[in-house]
């Protein structure tokens, strides 16, 4: 059984929580307690249709205000697939939580209210989906029941969506556009009897058909999380580097370059718990031993000669600012990528991009909450990252404000270059 | 076969998180209750650092109302793992007048644990507490980050959670704050059981069907014990049961079951439409019971 990670996004009152509730309900994936709660709340609120939002709005403040504030992770499985849905907030104020939800997803669902069409948030969410290089984006034109299942309404929104997605030249996710009603259950799991003009798949079919793209072989990247040193009868002077392979593969005997020192050694042992392996691949948490005693500590990167990541002292990135406290030109931050952290200076703000018009480049001297910008950082030490579009697993970093310790931004490497 | 692939992905992720906690914090601790999730956590920690030893101690907040089977199991496992077990007692917090024993039919020490836990964190200076909470357990749990920052009162502020991107975990905190870290966030109850089966992990016997003297109350089966305030309407019967989740004897309900092996338990859970947390009486106090406890510093 494979696993698909999805994130949902939309504007306030687009009905994301209702959609997820409907998806689970019609897939018979709710527990008895959840079904009872839905029925109870529906009666309490005097609603005609079942109130599914009670399933995902887990916080008191969310139920009070009737909005989603933070990401909820929903787990469910059908006969053929396991799903993790990151149900993310739609409110502009909580865009950072939407990025949080989408960062680990492979596909995103963007809800559009059929009565309203595309809103600023729709642009923002699509922008973020394509920035993260998600491979499928499903637009659900929701509340079709409130526009009498009118085909023209749907077609108009579909053409707006097409115009929006065509503005992006470099990345082209698979796009699906589906007319649905979460409340009534049209085209979510069951095909609708009301949209005879629509011949496409239901949302459920789309979600089951998305196939994980065959990964192109990426260069080997491994960063040391912990150094394990053991001396006992069984392990005489054992030194292993524990970490998760971010991309590529490695074999026993391979020569590796240890960064930043640039020293070379060969792989002596690849270990997982009490077993050793002749090779290991991306995503595996392993412990690697080398032939030579080499200076390597947390944050050290192992790579293969001939395919080294660039280790320059500056990098250019697309940055999403995630904090109310503004990002300032010349400001000092900490950049973290996996187990690597360096001091960094926000050297340049090239421009800010308005999500609804990505071709526009607006001058800016500071970064406000939710701003999407192109920036350059000067680094105190090299980070050994790749360009995000070529290697997602080794091309992103977070920005930490050393004053508050908060995560204030997320960056996607566009270019690394010598200062 | 493919279930195995899924479990493997989860294991790799969890080991990565546990290693991050060990590296990013000065004084981490693993909160251990003796339940199946804690046992899974202990096993993952063992794997994460092998052949080195687990580099942090375990902490048990003992309410004094545990199943004796759990405590016996706990002590045996700690000896096997060779880790230091720190125990702090809710009874001590009661004796110090820091918390008051609840009274009445539903009296439980579950929520009293918070004070004992916060005192232990402060006393011993822990800056990270690893826990086996899962997002699928309950809907306020579903909102939890992998690294969840708590202030110096142990409070969780859901509105102010840090963004958490990709697998980059920001463990930077101010002095006095601590992080609750949840390596098995993305596991479901089914995943935990499948993993226990795959890794052939031993569990306390109460997870499997056994005959027990039970108290039937409000349609739920509670273990008969001196800790329970038995009232007239309670019905005392012998029953073959197992526990799906293990907390205190006073607030964990059993399910009538004959499933006495991991295989049959997995099969029975799959067929059941009820959730695991449905057996936690404390969570039923109100829709927001767990969230309110978490805001107060509970795990």
């Amino acid at each position: 059984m494979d696993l698909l990670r999805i994130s949902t996004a939309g504007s306030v009152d687009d009905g994301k929580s209702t959609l997820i509730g409907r998806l689970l309900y019609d897939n018979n994936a709710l527990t008895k307690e959840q079904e009872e709660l839905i029925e109870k709340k529906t009666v309490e609120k005097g609603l005609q249709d079942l109130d599914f939002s009670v399933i995902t709005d887990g916080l008191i403040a969310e139920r009070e205000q009737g909005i989603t504030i933070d990401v909820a992770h929903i787990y469910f499985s059908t006969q053929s697939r396991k799903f993790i849905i990151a149900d993310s907030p739609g409110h502009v104020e909580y865009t950072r939580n939407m990025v949080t939800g989408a960062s680990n997803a492979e596909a995103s669902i963007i809800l559009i209210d059929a009565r309203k069409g595309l809103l600023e948030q729709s642009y923002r969410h699509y922008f973020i989906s394509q920035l993260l290089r998600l491979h499928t984006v499903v637009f659900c034109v929701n509340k079709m029941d409130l526009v009498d299942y009118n085909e023209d309404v749907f077609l108009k929104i579909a053409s707006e969506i097409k115009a929006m997605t065509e503005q992006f030249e470099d990345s082209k996710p698979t796009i699906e556009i589906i007319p649905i009603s979460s409340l009534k259950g049209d085209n979510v799991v069951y095909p609708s009897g009301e949209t005879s003009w629509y011949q496409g798949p239901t949302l459920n079919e789309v979600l089951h058909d998305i196939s994980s793209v065959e990964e192109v072989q990426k260069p080997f990247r491994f960063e040391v999380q912990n150094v394990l040193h053991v001396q006992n009868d069984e392990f005489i002077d054992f030194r292993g580097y524990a970490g998760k392979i971010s991309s590529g593969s490695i074999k026993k005997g391979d020569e590796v370059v240890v960064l930043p020192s640039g020293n070379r050694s060969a792989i002596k042992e690849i270990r997982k718990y009490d077993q050793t392996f002749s090779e290991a691949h991306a995503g595996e948490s392993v412990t690697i031993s080398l032939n030579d005693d080499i200076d390597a500590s947390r944050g050290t990167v192992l790579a293969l000669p001939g395919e080294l990541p660039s280790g320059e002292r500056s990098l250019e990135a697309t940055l999403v600012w995630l904090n109310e406290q503004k990002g300032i030109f010349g400001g000092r931050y900490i950049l973290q990528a996996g187990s690597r952290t360096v001091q960094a200076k926000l050297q340049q703000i090239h421009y800010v991009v308005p999500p609804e018009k990505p071709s526009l480049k607006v001058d800016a001297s500071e970064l406000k909450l939710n701003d999407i910008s192109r920036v350059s950082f000067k680094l105190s030490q090299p980070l050994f990252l790749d360009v995000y579009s070529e290697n997602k697993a080794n091309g992103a970093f977070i920005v930490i404000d050393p004053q508050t310790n908060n995560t204030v931004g997320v960056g996607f490497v566009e270019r690394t270059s010598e200062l | 076969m493919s279930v195995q692939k899924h479990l493997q992905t989860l294991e790799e992720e969890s080991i990565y998180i546990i290693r991050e906690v060990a590296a990013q914090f000065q004084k981490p601790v693993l909160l251990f209750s003796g339940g199946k999730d804690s046992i899974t956590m202990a096993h993952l920690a063992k794997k994460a650092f092998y052949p080195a030893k687990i580099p942090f101690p375990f902490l048990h907040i003992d309410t004094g109302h545990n199943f004796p089977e759990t405590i016996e199991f706990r002590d045996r496992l700690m000896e096997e793992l060779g880790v230091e077990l720190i125990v702090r007692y809710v009874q001590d917090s009661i004796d110090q007048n820091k918390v008051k024993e609840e009274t009445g039919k539903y009296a439980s020490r579950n929520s009293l644990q918070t004070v004992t836990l916060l005192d232990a964190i402060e006393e011993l200076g822990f800056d990270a507490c690893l826990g086996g909470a899962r997002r699928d357990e309950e809907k306020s749990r579903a909102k939890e980050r992998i690294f969840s920052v708590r202030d110096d009162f142990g409070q969780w502020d859901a509105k102010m959670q840090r963004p958490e991107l990709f697998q980059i975990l920001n463990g930077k905190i101010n002095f006095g704050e601590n992080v609750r870290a949840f390596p098995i966030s993305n596991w479901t109850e089914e995943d935990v059981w499948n993993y226990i089966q795959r890794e052939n992990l031993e569990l306390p016997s109460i997870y499997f069907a056994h005959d027990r003297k039970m108290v039937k109350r409000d349609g739920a089966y509670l273990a008969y014990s001196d800790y329970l305030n038995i009232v007239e309407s309670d019905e005392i019967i012998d029953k073959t049961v197992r526990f799906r989740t293990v907390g205190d004897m006073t607030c964990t309900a059993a399910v009538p079951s004959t499933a006495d092996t991991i295989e049959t338990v997995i099969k029975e859970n799959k067929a059941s439409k009820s959730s695991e947390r449905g057996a936690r009486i404390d969570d039923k106090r109100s829709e927001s019971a767990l969230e309110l406890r978490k805001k107060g510093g509970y795990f």
Side-chain angles (χ1 to χ4, degrees):
Chain A
M1 192 175 305
D2 65 346
L3 175 71
L4 185 74
R5 295 179 193 243
I6 315 164
S7 75
T8 60
S11 297
V12 183
D13 290 334
D14 274 348
K16 286 180 305 298
S17 304
T18 306
L19 175 65
I20 291 167
R22 168 64 69 183
L23 192 62
L24 265 64
Y25 185 78
D26 284 358
N27 269 309
N28 202 21
L30 291 175
T31 63
K32 197 178 78 197
E33 289 83 0
Q34 287 173 315
E35 284 182 10
E36 283 168 4
L37 182 66
I38 291 169
E39 280 155 24
K40 185 175 147 228
K41 290 286 166 183
T42 304
V43 174
E44 272 177 24
K45 293 184 189 171
L47 300 172
Q48 258 185 338
D49 300 287
L50 293 174
D51 179 13
F52 291 118
S53 64
V54 295
I55 297 308
T56 52
D57 286 341
L59 304 173
I60 298 162
E62 293 178 323
R63 290 192 292 275
E64 274 172 7
Q65 300 173 41
I67 62 165
T68 306
I69 291 171
D70 207 339
V71 184
H73 290 83
I74 321 282
Y75 302 77
F76 80 105
S77 50
T78 61
Q79 289 291 337
S80 56
R81 188 162 252 183
K82 271 181 176 280
F83 295 93
I84 302 178
I85 304 179
D87 176 28
S88 308
H91 206 276
V92 180
E93 199 185 334
Y94 300 115
T95 301
R96 57 169 171 238
N97 297 335
M98 189 236 150
V99 189
T100 290
S103 70
N104 285 311
E106 294 151 85
S108 75
I109 298 174
I110 298 178
L111 263 99
I112 312 280
D113 186 327
R115 297 167 303 175
K116 297 178 187 161
L118 296 193
L119 300 174
E120 192 199 327
Q121 279 297 82
S122 323
Y123 284 92
R124 195 177 290 280
H125 293 150
Y126 181 70
F127 197 128
I128 286 165
S129 299
Q130 74 85 38
L131 184 63
L132 284 159
R133 296 284 197 276
L134 305 189
H135 69 70
T136 304
V137 179
V138 188
F139 290 91
C140 285
V141 181
N142 191 23
K143 305 194 182 184
M144 285 302 295
D145 54 311
L146 298 181
V147 294
D148 298 325
Y149 299 97
N150 186 312
E151 186 183 8
D152 291 338
V153 172
F154 176 73
L155 291 177
K156 186 170 169 286
I157 293 172
S159 73
E160 280 177 37
I161 291 170
K162 208 157 164 271
M164 169 173 73
T165 58
E166 276 169 359
Q167 291 183 77
F168 295 89
E169 284 158 8
D170 54 337
S171 106
K172 290 260 180 277
T174 305
I175 304 285
E176 300 276 357
I177 308 172
I178 311 170
I180 67 162
S181 163
S182 309
L183 201 61
K184 308 287 180 189
D186 296 287
N187 295 329
V188 178
V189 172
Y190 301 111
S192 169
E194 308 282 350
T195 55
S196 52
W197 42 265
Y198 174 73
Q199 308 302 324
T202 62
L203 174 62
N204 204 45
E205 283 165 352
V206 169
L207 297 181
H208 280 82
D209 284 348
I210 294 171
S211 55
S212 293
V213 186
E214 269 302 308
E215 277 283 303
V216 190
Q217 185 64 34
K218 299 265 165 43
F220 171 70
R221 303 284 182 254
F222 174 88
E223 53 187 319
V224 177
Q225 287 185 275
N226 325 73
V227 180
L228 306 179
H229 191 209
V230 182
Q231 272 177 314
N232 59 27
D233 293 346
E234 196 188 342
F235 293 91
I236 301 148
D237 218 7
F238 175 91
R239 183 181 290 272
Y241 303 107
K244 192 163 182 257
I245 301 174
S246 12
S247 66
S249 310
I250 194 83
K251 287 196 303 292
K252 198 180 158 183
D254 279 350
E255 189 186 34
V256 290
V257 180
V258 180
L259 300 165
S261 72
N263 290 332
R264 290 185 180 207
S265 186
I267 306 277
K268 181 163 84 181
E269 183 186 85
I270 303 166
R271 171 178 287 279
K272 274 183 174 184
Y273 188 42
D274 56 1
Q275 283 180 294
T276 59
F277 297 84
S278 57
E279 57 185 278
H281 308 275
E284 291 188 68
S285 284
V286 294
T287 301
I288 290 176
S289 301
L290 300 176
N291 275 341
D292 308 276
D293 259 340
I294 265 176
D295 178 27
S297 53
R298 177 170 165 84
T300 297
V301 174
L302 303 187
L304 296 175
E307 49 177 48
L308 299 181
S310 40
E312 284 88 8
R313 298 273 297 272
S314 83
L315 56 82
E316 194 174 320
T318 297
L319 186 72
V320 183
W321 197 253
L322 306 170
N323 205 276
E324 283 84 1
Q325 203 182 322
K326 288 176 180 135
I328 51 169
F329 170 71
R332 288 175 190 279
Y333 299 97
I334 296 167
L335 300 197
Q336 183 182 348
S339 66
R340 290 161 278 173
T341 50
V342 298
Q343 309 263 11
K345 197 172 152 188
L346 185 54
Q347 181 87 340
Q348 219 176 332
I349 301 172
H350 301 283
Y351 51 84
V352 168
V353 189
E356 62 282 0
K357 198 120 189 70
S359 54
L360 220 61
K361 292 169 181 174
V362 182
D363 282 345
S365 56
E366 55 182 21
L367 301 172
K368 299 189 299 296
L369 178 68
N370 301 328
D371 270 353
I372 301 166
S373 64
R374 178 70 76 101
V375 300
S376 286
F377 281 102
K378 180 182 167 192
L379 313 179
S380 62
Q381 290 153 49
L383 259 185
F384 304 106
L385 290 169
D386 292 291
V387 170
Y388 182 81
S389 61
E390 288 163 14
N391 191 348
K392 283 168 80 162
N394 194 46
F397 59 88
I398 59 170
V399 182
I400 299 169
D401 179 346
Q403 306 296 315
T404 62
N405 293 324
N406 266 329
T407 303
V408 292
V410 56
F412 306 87
V413 179
E414 300 285 352
R415 225 146 52 95
T416 53
S417 59
E418 208 77 52
L419 262 185
Chain B
M1 187 62 201
S2 44
V3 169
Q4 293 303 334
K5 191 185 156 206
H6 172 63
L7 282 183
Q8 196 49 41
T9 308
L10 292 174
E11 186 192 64
E12 310 285 2
E13 252 181 37
S14 303
I15 287 177
Y16 169 82
I17 297 164
I18 293 171
R19 286 170 168 176
E20 279 303 291
V21 173
Q24 290 198 38
F25 296 92
Q26 302 290 321
K27 211 169 176 202
V29 70
L30 189 148
L31 298 188
F32 187 86
S33 69
K36 65 180 190 320
D37 300 312
S38 299
I39 292 164
T40 300
M41 286 283 296
H43 185 67
L44 288 164
K46 183 165 95 176
K47 282 192 155 188
F49 303 104
Y50 187 88
K53 286 203 164 168
I54 297 172
F56 39 75
F58 286 30
L59 171 67
H60 183 212
I61 302 300
D62 189 332
T63 59
H65 290 175
N66 296 287
F67 288 88
E69 294 95 328
T70 315
I71 299 299
E72 182 270 329
F73 182 91
R74 175 195 80 186
D75 294 340
R76 207 152 35 85
L77 184 67
M78 292 308 117
E79 197 156 320
E80 201 186 298
L81 291 173
V83 297
E84 182 197 355
L85 175 72
I86 301 163
V87 185
R88 286 293 179 270
Y89 299 92
V90 170
Q91 186 63 52
D92 290 342
S93 304
I94 295 170
D95 294 345
Q96 293 158 11
N97 281 323
K98 286 183 169 169
V99 290
K100 239 194 179 82
E101 190 96 77
E102 291 182 357
T103 54
K105 179 179 169 186
Y106 295 103
S108 150
R109 284 184 170 181
N110 192 33
S111 60
L112 308 188
Q113 291 179 82
T114 304
V115 170
T116 316
L117 171 67
L118 295 178
D119 282 351
I121 291 172
E122 199 170 290
E123 174 204 337
L124 300 161
F126 295 124
D127 52 1
C129 302
L130 285 151
R134 307 187 322 266
R135 286 167 173 162
D136 81 318
E137 282 179 71
E138 197 271 345
K139 61 184 178 178
S140 71
R141 284 260 198 256
K143 298 265 164 183
E144 199 68 85
R145 297 282 194 264
I146 307 269
F147 273 14
S148 185
V149 181
R150 306 298 173 99
D151 69 10
D152 56 353
F153 283 87
Q155 296 181 105
W156 182 62
D157 186 347
K159 274 190 176 177
M160 292 303 292
Q161 296 200 87
R162 281 180 187 168
E164 195 165 78
L165 290 308
F166 305 99
Q167 285 192 19
I168 311 171
L169 299 167
N170 174 5
K172 291 193 167 39
I173 50 171
N174 299 312
F175 186 71
E177 292 177 341
N178 68 84
V179 156
R180 309 287 170 93
F182 303 109
I184 62 167
S185 281
N186 286 326
W187 298 44
T188 63
E189 183 191 15
E190 189 185 9
D191 296 327
V192 171
W193 277 103
N194 284 333
Y195 188 72
I196 286 166
Q197 183 180 38
R198 186 188 93 167
E199 300 291 304
N200 202 13
L201 302 184
E202 206 193 324
L203 291 182
S205 55
I206 45 174
Y207 278 106
F208 303 101
H210 59 288
D211 295 327
R212 196 174 200 115
K213 193 172 178 185
M214 302 298 290
V215 177
K216 192 175 178 190
R217 170 187 292 179
D218 308 335
Y221 294 96
L222 294 167
Y224 180 89
S225 72
D226 294 343
Y227 315 131
L228 201 62
N229 290 337
I230 293 169
V231 296
E232 211 165 302
S233 58
D234 291 339
E235 193 184 331
I236 297 166
I237 46 168
D238 289 312
K239 189 95 185 154
T240 307
V241 296
R242 68 178 172 91
F243 291 87
R244 208 167 149 183
T245 168
V246 172
D248 264 11
M249 291 185 87
T250 55
C251 65
T252 316
V255 285
S257 167
T258 53
D260 54 2
T261 60
I262 293 179
E263 290 75 22
T264 46
V265 166
I266 290 174
K267 220 169 130 186
E268 200 176 85
N269 284 348
K270 219 178 164 93
S272 163
K273 284 272 291 176
S274 284
S275 68
E276 177 188 352
R277 277 264 158 195
R280 292 287 184 104
I281 312 293
D282 268 41
D283 291 349
K284 294 193 167 171
R285 290 185 174 189
S286 85
E287 202 186 338
S288 313
L290 185 58
E291 181 186 352
L292 290 171
R293 289 212 303 283
K294 285 205 305 172
K295 277 190 169 166
Y298 183 82
F299 212 69

